Amino acid sequence: MSKHIAIIVGSLREGSYNRKLAQALVGLAPDGLEFTFVGTGALPLYNPDLDEGTPPEAWTQFRKCLSRADAVLFVTPEYNRSVPASLKNALDVGSRPYGASVWDGKPTAIVTGSPGGIAGFGANHHLRQSLVFLNAPPMHQPEAYVGNITEVLDEDGNITNDGTRDFLRSVMDGFAAWIDKLSPAS
């Protein structure tokens, strides 16, 4: 039985390296995982007042999409040593209304990419902290930080380095095992 994985890319830029990295990860995934990219750019900022009555349609669609997912893969850059605002907003929108969090119990994995050498370490750990609170257990190992991303992905999003490709394949194999461990087939 296939597992449905929602992919959330932290960068809103259509041609972002993290979006290309996410697409490359899909190609490296083992059989049995199906992927859907879930956008966050159209989500209005979370305001609890908007959940009273009829919430914004973008929130409703986002929550439905995440509710159907068996797991979530986050692929994100780092902005100012943290996660992009759209990603934090998506966490907030999905965690409400109180008692109806779409994140609860979902296995997650985080891959961060950056043109610099630090490779999104701060974003990875800030996101991990929120996911633990939301009871969306992040995969422990392998941790995935892709530094110097402009040197390992070409303009078309192809991985140009064999070692990086092998490592990212191990990340996706590890994620599949993490999903099976936390939500085995029934």
Side-chain angles (χ1 to χ4, degrees), residues 11-154:
S11 175
L12 297 180
R13 194 171 64 85
E14 190 61 36
S16 81
Y17 279 102
N18 279 273
R19 181 168 307 286
K20 291 175 184 180
L21 177 58
Q23 292 164 337
L25 289 165
V26 169
L28 296 172
D31 292 338
L33 301 181
E34 297 176 6
F35 297 90
T36 301
F37 281 76
V38 180
T40 61
L43 297 174
L45 289 177
Y46 185 73
N47 175 344
D49 292 343
L50 299 178
D51 257 333
E52 295 175 13
T54 304
E57 181 62 22
W59 290 3
T60 302
Q61 292 306 313
F62 178 80
R63 289 167 176 164
K64 282 181 184 176
C65 188
L66 267 291
S67 291
R68 292 188 296 262
D70 297 304
V72 183
L73 173 62
F74 294 92
V75 183
T76 187
E78 178 175 295
Y79 289 0
N80 301 314
R81 296 285 188 253
S82 189
V83 297
S86 63
L87 179 50
K88 176 60 170 86
N89 186 52
L91 294 175
D92 294 342
V93 167
S95 71
R96 297 291 188 265
Y98 185 78
S101 174
V102 298
W103 310 112
D104 191 37
K106 287 200 192 311
T108 61
I110 305 164
V111 178
T112 52
S114 170
I118 296 176
F121 180 85
N124 192 302
H125 283 265
H126 275 195
L127 181 52
R128 187 173 299 275
Q129 191 174 30
S130 293
L131 293 174
V132 168
F133 175 78
L134 294 170
N135 192 35
M139 180 175 71
H140 305 300
Q141 293 291 328
E143 290 182 292
Y145 314 97
V146 181
N148 304 308
I149 198 168
T150 59
E151 297 173 21
V152 297
L153 287 177
D154 66 19

